[in-house]
Amino acid sequence: MAEKVSAGDYVLLYSKGKTWLVRASEERDFHTHVGRVSFSGVIGRPFGSGMRTDTGDLLYALKPTLEDFIMKCERQTQIVYPKDLGLMALRAGIGPGSRVVEAGSGSGAFTIYLAGMVRPEGHVYSYEVREEFMKIAERNARKAGVSDFVTFHLKDASQGFEEKDADAAVIDVGDPWEMIGPAWDALKPSGGMVAVTPTMNQMERLVEEMKRSGFIRVHGMEVLLRNMEAREGKTRPSTIMVGHTAYLISGTKVLEVASGADEGAPEDEGQAE
């Protein structure tokens, strides 16, 4: 059965490649560059319905995805972009039911994604030292509808996570190497740690420290995204691309590290037996 728009729902309005994330209300109109629209014409209709502005332009009322909430979240800090989120979660083995500790809530973009991945049985424990950032992250998590799957701590995670036997640790702080010990202590054996850094120097230091500190399969990565302009007879790459956003680092906790055993080289991706 098609889900219908109710008053108070967040709706993604779409028109000609532009989007707006707004809350549906019968008492308000929303103004765009293609005219004014009244929600009274869409409340009670299925998501995906179209509605006309006062200038006759057509807008679609779409159900927002987690990506929409992430990209349009309130922010005072840089966010981790969708092109990086998926790979990091995959490298850390995060999925439904996972218990995840996070150092650096920031604006809550990564927190929202993690909560969406681990629900309904898993949980995210997010640590932030700045109260103003934590409050923004809490608001963004509530807006995205995932706050039930997140516990926020106003605490310096470098002093240690309260949670133990976590499935994964996610690190997004300025000095990520300071989090290696606390992350190792919080993780269950074979748990995954992933981190994000803006510079190569930070990545290099973090990778070397992880390899010395009880992590193997340690890798530094970068994801570049190039969209394609797909049009009949003249498809080509877009002239604008999402290039560097961050360097990504991943590793796996082990209980004993052999000297020189893991140099971070690309792994053999041959078929399993």
Side-chain angles (χ1 to χ4, degrees):
M1 181 180 295
E3 185 177 355
K4 295 182 179 180
V5 179
S6 299
D9 285 347
Y10 281 100
V11 177
L12 189 76
L13 299 179
Y14 176 92
S15 175
K16 302 174 182 178
K18 292 188 177 296
T19 58
W20 302 266
L21 183 63
V22 295
R23 204 163 197 169
S25 171
E26 294 179 345
E27 286 76 38
R28 65 172 292 200
D29 293 341
F30 185 73
H31 295 262
T32 75
H33 71 290
V34 293
R36 177 174 54 87
V37 64
S38 172
F39 285 106
S40 60
V42 74
I43 290 176
R45 298 176 62 196
F47 280 101
S49 298
M51 51 186 184
R52 296 282 177 180
T53 69
D54 59 355
T55 60
D57 282 276
L58 181 65
L59 277 77
Y60 296 97
L62 308 178
K63 185 174 179 59
T65 65
L66 278 181
E67 181 181 11
D68 296 319
F69 284 111
I70 289 169
M71 295 305 296
K72 295 185 179 296
C73 69
E74 177 187 355
R75 66 180 80 168
Q76 288 189 8
T77 62
Q78 180 62 275
I79 66 170
V80 181
Y81 280 81
K83 73 179 183 67
D84 301 321
L85 293 174
L87 179 59
M88 294 179 74
L90 186 67
R91 296 289 301 189
I94 297 170
S98 295
R99 295 176 67 252
V100 182
V101 292
E102 179 188 33
S105 307
S107 297
F110 207 161
T111 314
I112 290 170
Y113 180 77
L114 293 169
M117 290 287 291
V118 305
R119 63 183 174 185
E121 302 298 331
H123 204 82
V124 179
Y125 303 89
S126 187
Y127 288 66
E128 176 56 57
V129 295
R130 297 184 60 172
E131 186 174 9
E132 66 271 29
F133 289 172
M134 190 185 78
K135 288 182 177 179
I136 290 173
E138 287 178 324
R139 287 198 296 270
N140 285 329
R142 285 195 299 270
K143 185 175 180 180
V146 296
S147 58
D148 288 346
F149 310 102
V150 184
T151 297
F152 288 98
H153 295 293
L154 184 61
K155 181 179 178 182
D156 184 355
S158 68
Q159 302 304 307
F161 293 103
E162 296 179 13
E163 298 75 26
K164 302 302 177 185
D165 291 322
D167 297 290
V170 174
I171 311 300
D172 186 5
V173 296
D175 301 320
W177 43 86
E178 299 291 341
M179 290 304 311
I180 295 174
W184 195 93
D185 289 339
L187 286 169
K188 62 176 56 173
S190 197
M193 171 180 159
V194 289
V196 55
T197 68
T199 71
M200 282 189 173
N201 290 340
Q202 289 171 302
M203 175 178 64
E204 178 181 309
R205 180 172 177 181
L206 178 58
V207 165
E208 292 304 314
E209 291 291 340
M210 288 177 68
K211 287 191 282 188
R212 286 193 288 264
S213 304
F215 289 89
I216 63 169
R217 304 179 74 192
V218 181
H219 298 286
M221 301 161 284
E222 182 182 27
V223 179
L224 307 179
L225 175 64
R226 184 172 71 173
N227 290 317
M228 304 297 292
E229 295 182 5
R231 294 173 292 179
E232 187 174 0
K234 48 184 178 180
T235 295
R236 64 175 179 81
S238 174
T239 55
I240 299 175
M241 69 177 292
V242 182
H244 173 72
T245 50
Y247 296 108
L248 317 178
I249 301 90
S250 67
T252 303
K253 171 182 174 175
V254 292
L255 301 179
E256 182 180 358
V257 177
S259 177
D262 187 45
E263 296 301 325
E267 296 177 9
D268 180 3
E269 296 179 353
Q271 292 181 338
E273 295 181 359

